Amino acid sequence: MSGLKARINAGETVIGTFVKTPASHVIEILGLAGLDFAVPDQEHAPLDLGAMDQLALASRAAGLPLVARCWGQSPARISPLLDLGCAGVMVPHVADRDTAEAVVAAVKFGRGSRGLSPSPRAGNYGTLAAPAYTAKSDAETVVMVQIEDRAALDRLDDIASVPDVDVLFVGPADLSQSLGCGFPSAELDAAIIRVIAAARRADVAAGLFVGDESQIAPWRERGVSVFVCGSDQGLLMKGARRIIEAGRA
């Protein structure tokens, strides 16, 4: 699972999906399906730390990196997810440089403020010496900051230039709400293109949520390389509807 950050930083296209169901089987299935990563969604689903522990355990079995979308931006919300063995975090509503700096400080031991114990799963239950553990974590953990506020659009270069930010990830639903425009709409597309341009200037990846796989290719051509497509619930709904539509045709 350690290759996700390297792949993102190399500009590879990586595709994942949100996970909103607190069941380890979902992670196993998505891993077998061949996704590059999954995003357990604490912001909009009933995933407490106990549920996240089970999903992170399943992710190791399935070889599927988890980038957890956490409840908030504080170290108390971020660090425990990494201790469980998540490959990174996706942090909502990062609208300025100070917030981005605080997120990175909560993730990277090298910033000097993240609480250190090699005893959790991420440290192989204490079998990794502290220096090896901190070096491995800092080298491999993915930091995705979500751009989903009008205010963030005027601070994109400041946010993108924070060292160790890997992805500017657009949350189009919240961004459209903040802008007061449609989802989809030409105004929203223009804002997303601004994020892509800022990511390119800073040599970081641009990420985007898309509701359907048909949207991946057009946005990849525009410069997006990190995609979260739908969710486990959406995949189940689409599959069930296809069955009933075909059966009643």
Side-chain angles (χ1 to χ4, degrees):
M1 294 190 294
S2 62
L4 180 62
K5 178 181 171 71
R7 294 179 64 194
I8 289 172
N9 292 346
E12 290 187 36
T13 299
V14 294
I15 302 170
T17 193
F18 280 120
V19 172
K20 298 176 181 288
T21 308
S24 56
H25 311 78
V26 171
I27 301 300
E28 292 182 295
I29 292 167
L30 294 176
L32 288 169
L35 289 183
D36 298 306
F37 67 102
V39 183
D41 187 6
Q42 285 194 306
E43 186 182 19
H44 295 298
L47 302 179
D48 61 15
L49 200 59
M52 289 297 302
D53 184 40
Q54 294 304 303
L55 297 185
L57 179 61
S59 79
R60 286 205 165 188
L64 180 69
L66 298 187
V67 178
R69 178 153 75 172
C70 44
W71 277 313
Q73 303 159 346
S74 73
R77 299 298 191 188
I78 293 172
S79 297
L81 301 172
L82 302 177
D83 285 349
L84 294 178
C86 290
V89 289
M90 175 187 288
V91 181
H93 296 288
V94 176
D96 54 47
R97 184 183 181 93
D98 286 347
T99 304
E101 290 277 10
V103 168
V104 172
V107 172
K108 302 294 182 178
F109 289 112
R111 293 295 185 97
S113 59
R114 178 180 166 187
L116 169 60
S117 171
S119 64
R121 181 181 294 117
N124 289 345
Y125 299 104
T127 60
L128 280 178
Y133 169 48
T134 58
K136 178 178 172 64
S137 178
D138 283 0
E140 297 178 356
T141 303
V142 176
V143 178
M144 300 190 188
V145 296
Q146 285 201 259
I147 306 300
E148 46 191 355
D149 302 277
R150 178 190 291 272
L153 295 178
D154 294 325
R155 303 166 182 158
L156 290 172
D157 289 329
D158 284 345
I159 296 168
S161 65
V162 172
D164 294 315
V165 166
D166 297 298
V167 183
L168 299 184
F169 190 92
V170 178
D174 280 3
L175 184 56
S176 67
Q177 177 176 259
S178 181
L179 292 171
C181 66
F183 174 33
S185 68
E187 184 177 352
L188 177 60
D189 285 356
I192 296 170
I193 289 169
R194 288 177 63 185
V195 177
I196 296 169
R200 185 177 290 116
R201 287 192 295 272
D203 196 27
V204 300
L208 179 65
F209 171 80
V210 294
D212 185 88
E213 62 273 12
S214 66
Q215 300 170 41
I216 293 175
W219 280 110
R220 182 168 52 202
E221 291 177 4
R222 289 173 161 178
V224 175
S225 60
V226 178
F227 291 92
V228 175
C229 183
S231 69
D232 59 332
Q233 293 175 348
L235 292 169
L236 181 62
M237 183 70 75
K238 286 168 65 175
R241 283 176 169 171
R242 278 198 296 265
I243 289 170
I244 200 68
E245 288 167 3
R248 289 176 175 170

